[in-house]
Amino acid sequence: AQKVTQAQTEISVVEKEDVTLDCVYETRDTTYYLFWYKQPPSGELVFLIRRNSFDEQNEISGRYSWNFQKSTSSFNFTITASQVVDSAVYFCALSGKARQLTFGSGTQLTVLP
Amino acid sequence: EAGVTQFPSHSVIEKGQTVTLRCDPISGHDNLYWYRRVMGKEIKFLLHFVKESKQDESGMPNNRFLAERTGGTYSTLKVQPAELEDSGVYFCASSQLDLRTDTQYFGPGTRLTVL
């Protein structure tokens, strides 16, 4: 069975601070895919990134960066110089041989002005 | 290009009534998924269509839920009769068939409230 754990239920930071959202996963599949989605107050799920299990290279996209470490089964997400518009619920998710996504419980990020 | 659309955005019904949710995937996406998030819980998988066929319906909670995807285009999810515990947000997602590009894009969700 697959499992995704986001231990941080809520995080609150002040604008311009850096913040890291943790994600730990469990799977028996040898090939799998990891995702981050953002759910702003409007409610839709917005795709942010997808990583393949065979590609551990970290990725940076603007103020966003992702740290994938197979050795610790973690796929953490860092927002640099956070902004109020970053306030949202962030979900980490996993898929494998079965194509459906297994989601973590989400982390509510609040960025205060 | 249009994203995944869902209708209605909100639905409020009484226990025992029937509700039908609709999802229009991104054009050309053969994979279509339904998920739901019950209040305070995680987003859970319901079922997966490949074109018009049900690939995996292991997440469907019971036989009060019926999903269809006629012609491999849009999909409907019917709840009959609705129960209080069915309240939540129902998300639809679609993706391409190729596993290498199988990123699921989500619709805005339908918020269902059963009174």
Side-chain angles (χ1 to χ4, degrees), chain A residues 37 47 50 91 99-101, chain B residues 35 97 99 102-104:
Chain A
Y37 287 87
F47 165 75
R50 162 191 161 114
F91 291 97
R99 304 282 281 261
Q100 68 262 30
L101 294 171
Chain B
Y35 297 84
L97 206 54
L99 185 59
D102 181 20
T103 292
Q104 295 180 32

Side-chain angles (χ1 to χ4, degrees), chain B residues 30 32 47-56 69 72:
Chain B
D30 289 327
L32 188 148
L47 87 158
H48 170 204
F49 283 99
V50 176
K51 298 183 181 178
E52 68 277 5
S53 300
K54 291 177 185 175
Q55 181 74 17
D56 183 348
R69 191 181 183 194

Side-chain angles (χ1 to χ4, degrees), chain A residues 4 31 33 35 37 39 42-47 50 52 89 91 95-96 98-106, chain B residues 31 33 35 37 41-45 48 56 58 91 95-108:
Chain A
V4 176
T31 300
Y33 303 86
F35 303 80
Y37 287 87
Q39 186 180 40
S42 50
E44 73 273 26
L45 285 166
V46 178
F47 165 75
R50 162 191 161 114
N52 304 329
V89 180
F91 291 97
S95 71
R99 304 282 281 261
Q100 68 262 30
L101 294 171
T102 298
F103 283 87
S105 54
Chain B
N31 286 316
Y33 303 82
Y35 297 84
R37 189 180 193 196
K41 300 277 184 75
E42 294 166 1
I43 301 172
K44 292 287 192 183
F45 165 77
H48 170 204
D56 183 348
S58 60
F91 291 102
S95 69
Q96 296 178 333
L97 206 54
D98 188 342
L99 185 59
R100 294 170 295 179
T101 55
D102 181 20
T103 292
Q104 295 180 32
Y105 295 93
F106 283 78

Side-chain angles (χ1 to χ4, degrees), chain A residues 69-108:
Chain A
Q69 292 198 345
K70 253 178 147 173
S71 59
T72 55
S73 297
S74 65
F75 186 44
N76 297 337
F77 173 29
T78 297
I79 301 175
T80 303
S82 59
Q83 300 176 1
V84 173
V85 294
D86 295 327
S87 297
V89 180
Y90 290 85
F91 291 97
C92 181
L94 166 71
S95 71
K97 189 186 302 183
R99 304 282 281 261
Q100 68 262 30
L101 294 171
T102 298
F103 283 87
S105 54
T107 297
Q108 170 71 60

Side-chain angles (χ1 to χ4, degrees), chain B residues 45-105:
Chain B
F45 165 77
L46 295 178
L47 87 158
H48 170 204
F49 283 99
V50 176
K51 298 183 181 178
E52 68 277 5
S53 300
K54 291 177 185 175
Q55 181 74 17
D56 183 348
E57 51 184 332
S58 60
M60 295 287 263
N62 52 61
N63 59 10
R64 295 186 294 102
F65 288 75
L66 175 63
E68 295 179 329
R69 191 181 183 194
T70 307
T73 55
Y74 70 91
S75 174
T76 57
L77 180 65
K78 180 190 287 187
V79 185
Q80 178 182 29
E83 298 289 344
L84 299 179
E85 63 265 25
D86 300 332
S87 295
V89 181
Y90 289 76
F91 291 102
C92 174
S94 71
S95 69
Q96 296 178 333
L97 206 54
D98 188 342
L99 185 59
R100 294 170 295 179
T101 55
D102 181 20
T103 292
Q104 295 180 32
Y105 295 93

